[in-house]
């Protein structure tokens, strides 16, 4: 083992310790120092570097080490989850294209059997990515799956997002239920007030749609009656015409 490799291993040891302590900046610092000295051969090191960058919201930078982690070990769902997170949070022009990459990575993570908070977060990320891709039914499904894993008040914002997805789909009664659920979990009066405003708006929308539906039904009924009357008049005219043709010339007056 050469001197650089020895120094790199020491830096990686410090990085792993920092990662376990959730000291993300320090973990990145030591991992980058290790990489400068000697190439990584362990997928875990790339994964933890990428995850640390995600925690620091440096998502563009996180994609490369997470891709290296997947190339070294494509059976680790956590690496796919973090790369999906990184894709989903990147600020790029091709938002929909990146959203599909996030969907693919989160799907791999879920299929590889991640559990606990990682599974919940994968559903959240994929739900968000589906929303960006305008696939709102899929976004609803994943938001509901994420909420099922929540035993506390961790996913209040996901309950709110679920309401917005359902509202976009025009499923107003379901949206009201989602906003009511979010309100129940929110602790801030401001957030609860926002839920009330959404619920009031949805109720007004439902009332407006109901009135519109009734108006359309009434108009349709009027048109139908008018059409039936015109058809009946036409049939009477045709019958009169046919009777006229049957009358002999001598009987015509």
């Amino acid at each position: 083992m050469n001197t650089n490799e020895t120094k790199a291993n020491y830096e990686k040891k410090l990085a792993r310790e920092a990662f376990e302590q959730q000291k993300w900046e320090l973990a990145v610092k030591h991992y980058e120092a290790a990489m400068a000295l000697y190439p990584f051969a362990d997928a875990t090191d790339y994964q933890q570097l990428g995850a640390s960058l995600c925690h620091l919201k440096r998502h563009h930078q996180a994609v490369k080490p997470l891709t290296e982690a997947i190339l070294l070990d494509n059976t680790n769902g956590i690496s796919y989850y973090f790369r999906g997170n990184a894709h989903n949070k990147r600020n790029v022009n091709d938002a929909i294209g990146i959203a599909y990459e996030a969907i693919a990575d989160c799907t791999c993570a879920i299929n590889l059997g991640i559990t606990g908070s990682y599974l919940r977060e994968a559903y959240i990320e994929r739900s968000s990515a589906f929303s960006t891709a305008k696939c709102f039914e899929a976004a609803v499904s994943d938001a509901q799956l994420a909420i099922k894993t929540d035993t506390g008040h961790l996913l209040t914002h996901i309950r709110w997002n679920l309401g917005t997805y359902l509202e976009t789909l025009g499923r107003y009664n379901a949206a009201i239920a989602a906003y009511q659920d979010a309100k129940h979990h929110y602790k801030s009066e401001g957030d609860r007030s926002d839920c009330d405003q959404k619920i009031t708006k949805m109720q007004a929308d439902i009332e407006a749609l109901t009135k519109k539906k009734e108006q359309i039904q009434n108009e349709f009924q009027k048109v139908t009656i008018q059409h039936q009357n015109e058809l009946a008049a036409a049939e009477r005219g045709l019958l009169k015409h046919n009777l006229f043709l049957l009358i002999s010339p001598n009987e015509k007056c």
Side-chain angles (χ1 to χ4, degrees):
M1 186 179 296
N2 62 39
T3 304
N4 280 353
E5 188 176 358
T6 301
K7 290 179 180 177
N9 286 338
Y10 178 69
E11 291 289 348
K12 284 192 288 186
K13 176 178 177 295
L14 295 176
R16 290 173 181 176
E17 290 173 356
F19 184 86
E20 290 299 320
Q21 296 168 19
Q22 299 185 5
K23 296 179 179 179
W24 314 123
E25 287 278 10
L26 192 59
V28 169
K29 175 184 174 182
H30 287 301
Y31 269 130
E32 288 180 342
M35 286 180 66
L37 290 165
Y38 201 81
F40 291 173
D42 191 335
T44 301
D45 293 320
Y46 281 114
Q47 181 196 98
Q48 291 189 353
L49 171 58
S52 298
L53 290 165
C54 283
H55 284 297
L56 293 170
K57 304 188 186 306
R58 293 161 59 180
H59 299 104
H60 276 281
Q61 293 172 273
V63 172
K64 185 176 179 179
L66 289 166
T67 300
E68 292 292 341
I70 291 167
L71 289 172
L72 288 170
D73 179 7
N74 62 4
T75 64
N76 191 316
I78 295 174
S79 296
Y80 281 103
Y81 157 68
F82 274 112
R83 192 173 69 173
N85 172 276
H87 281 314
N88 202 33
K89 298 294 194 301
R90 290 166 64 192
N91 184 18
V92 295
N93 292 329
D94 183 20
I96 292 180
I98 291 298
Y100 279 113
E101 292 190 39
I103 290 166
D105 278 343
C106 289
T107 300
C108 284
I110 293 165
N111 291 344
L112 285 168
I114 58 173
T115 58
S117 62
Y118 285 121
L119 178 61
R120 180 176 67 239
E121 292 299 321
Y123 282 131
I124 291 171
E125 291 295 344
R126 194 170 69 173
S127 177
S128 174
F130 274 131
S131 172
T132 301
K134 310 301 181 186
C135 303
F136 292 106
E137 289 288 359
V140 166
S141 178
D142 273 355
Q144 291 171 331
L145 288 169
I147 289 168
K148 283 182 180 179
T149 71
D150 185 21
T151 56
H153 299 270
L154 300 175
L155 301 181
T156 308
H157 64 294
I158 301 304
R159 290 171 164 85
W160 171 275
N161 289 350
L162 175 59
T164 64
Y165 303 153
L166 290 165
E167 182 181 351
T168 301
L169 290 167
R171 293 163 59 183
Y172 295 133
N173 287 318
I176 287 173
Y179 287 130
Q180 288 172 333
D181 187 29
K183 178 184 174 181
H184 174 72
H185 287 82
Y186 272 129
K187 296 180 180 179
S188 161
E189 283 301 320
D191 290 332
R192 291 168 66 85
S193 176
D194 287 343
C195 290
D196 282 333
Q197 289 178 23
K198 278 288 189 179
I199 291 167
T200 300
K201 179 181 180 299
M202 292 296 95
Q203 290 170 337
D205 287 343
I206 290 172
E207 184 179 353
L209 284 171
T210 301
K211 288 181 179 178
K212 186 68 175 177
K213 183 179 178 181
E214 290 174 354
Q215 181 184 355
I216 291 171
Q217 287 175 335
N218 290 335
E219 290 295 327
F220 179 76
Q221 189 174 14
K222 288 179 183 178
V223 171
T224 301
I225 291 171
Q226 183 181 355
H227 177 69
Q228 289 173 341
N229 290 338
E230 290 173 351
L231 183 61
E235 288 175 345
R236 287 194 300 270
L238 181 62
L239 178 61
K240 184 177 179 180
H241 177 69
N242 289 339
L243 286 172
F244 178 79
L245 293 177
L246 291 172
I247 299 174
S248 63
N250 293 330
E251 294 174 322
K252 292 179 183 177
C253 56

